Amino acid sequence: MDAEFFVVMPSMTGWELYHGMEGRGWFARWDDALEAADVMAEARHEVTGVPTTVIVEMKDRDAAIVSVYA
């Protein structure tokens, strides 16, 4: 079973949240984007049983896994 990814990425004036290739919202604050991604990832895992991961990409192109539901 393939994992699904929720990715928080910087945008010009805030943070964008993506689930796969689909945009799921824009947030002015990083912590709001991270909280939304975590809630969506946990809910998706609970409903489908599919492993989910929240990843944050930083402006310098580094990325960090911040939560995993498996």
Side-chain angles (χ1 to χ4, degrees):
M1 187 178 301
D2 292 331
E4 294 185 17
F5 298 95
F6 291 80
V7 181
V8 177
M9 301 175 66
S11 70
M12 294 290 278
T13 59
W15 298 86
E16 295 281 345
L17 170 58
Y18 291 90
H19 175 215
M21 297 298 291
E22 295 181 35
R24 293 295 182 197
W26 175 88
F27 301 85
R29 295 172 18 142
W30 177 83
D31 56 334
D32 291 339
L34 184 59
E35 181 179 0
D38 197 51
V39 167
M40 289 181 195
E42 184 176 19
R44 181 76 175 159
H45 174 67
E46 286 180 7
V47 169
T48 64
V50 173
T52 58
T53 302
V54 175
I55 299 170
V56 175
E57 290 189 8
M58 306 308 283
K59 291 180 182 179
D60 61 2
R61 299 288 188 203
D62 286 336
I65 295 173
V66 293
S67 60
V68 174
Y69 297 94

